[in-house]
Amino acid sequence: GFTIALATLALGFGTLLLWGFDIPLVLRVCLFLVLALIVGSLGALLYESITQPLRGLANVVEAYRSGDYTVRGRRAASSDALGELVNEVNSLGSTLHEQRLRALEATALLEKLVESIDVAVLAFDGSHRLSLLNPAARRLLGLDPQRLYVGATAEDLAIEELLAEDGTSRVATTVAGRSGRWQVTHGTFREAGVAQHLLVIADVRVALREEERAAWQR
């Protein structure tokens, strides 16, 4: 809108100057057409120089919204306000990309830790349907290591009673029909605003055997 108004103002001013001189009408019309062509070309160039970077920025923001933080905006001149805006958006993309990499690395480390520890870890959604379990949990519950159990209910796994008490840590003598001594910790967390349940089951007998061994060594 501003570009069109500026071009119109320049064309009107030039027309007044042309009509102020005592020259033939045909020459005036020719000069007016030439002036209109020049002003129109300059206006188009100015319009493109502004709208093209804005279109590019719109594409960059859309990419960031979809989770792709590798896209960058391009601006030949970086000394004006529009160039500074492009630079700031690019800097934001770099920051988001670095944060995404750090989050992925932390998640990968956490997954390896959960997979390797000798403590059963299970996660359930608000409906007590399984969303995560590690190899130690499979061994404890006697589950098939090759079968997918995601979506099974806590009742299907015979551990519904372990989710009855929230935010507690207690010792259970039976888990899924098996007798023993287990430290059972039940906590809740939120993912995307939805409540989730985390169940951690540790065999207390292992710790007792370690303490007994240390006592005999002493």
Side-chain angles (χ1 to χ4, degrees):
F2 175 76
T3 303
I4 296 175
L6 183 61
T8 303
L9 180 62
L11 181 60
F13 182 72
T15 302
L16 290 177
L17 289 179
L18 287 177
W19 255 253
F21 293 98
D22 185 14
I23 56 179
L25 179 60
V26 176
L27 182 58
R28 287 183 181 180
V29 173
C30 293
L31 290 176
F32 174 78
L33 293 176
V34 172
L35 179 62
L37 180 61
I38 295 174
V39 172
S41 300
L42 292 176
L45 290 175
L46 181 60
Y47 178 78
E48 284 298 322
S49 67
I50 295 176
T51 57
Q52 193 67 25
L54 291 179
R55 291 195 194 100
L57 280 181
N59 294 333
V60 171
V61 173
E62 182 64 27
Y64 292 171
R65 184 181 301 173
S66 63
D68 183 5
Y69 303 125
T70 61
V71 182
R72 297 289 181 269
R74 294 183 179 180
R75 176 66 173 169
S78 59
S79 59
D80 57 357
L82 186 56
E84 293 178 0
L85 176 61
V86 173
N87 292 335
E88 289 297 326
V89 172
N90 290 341
S91 178
L92 174 63
S94 300
T95 301
L96 293 175
H97 183 61
E98 293 175 0
Q99 291 178 351
R100 166 67 65 83
L101 290 179
R102 287 197 295 267
L104 291 176
E105 291 172 354
T107 301
L109 178 60
L110 180 60
E111 289 178 352
K112 290 182 178 180
L113 177 63
V114 171
E115 290 290 321
S116 61
I117 60 175
D118 193 23
V119 175
V121 179
L122 304 97
F124 297 85
D125 61 14
S127 302
H128 289 185
R129 290 191 175 276
L130 185 68
S131 58
L132 178 146
L133 79 164
N134 67 343
R138 289 178 180 271
R139 293 192 296 270
L140 173 63
L141 302 179
L143 302 179
D144 185 353
Q146 303 300 326
R147 181 181 170 187
L148 295 177
Y149 291 90
V150 174
T153 64
E155 185 177 1
D156 296 334
L157 302 176
I159 55 174
E160 179 69 23
E161 71 280 359
L162 300 181
L163 295 176
E165 300 181 14
D166 184 19
T168 60
S169 180
R170 58 190 177 90
V171 175
T173 56
T174 59
V175 172
R178 297 179 56 184
S179 299
R181 290 178 63 82
W182 290 277
Q183 180 83 25
V184 180
T185 303
H186 174 213
T188 59
F189 63 98
R190 289 190 173 272
E191 183 177 1
V194 180
Q196 310 285 325
H197 299 268
L198 183 66
L199 201 60
V200 179
I201 308 173
D203 193 343
V204 179
R205 294 172 300 179
V206 176
L208 293 178
R209 285 196 297 267
E210 291 295 332
E211 292 181 359
E212 186 180 61
R213 184 181 299 110
W216 279 108
Q217 289 175 351
R218 287 195 297 267

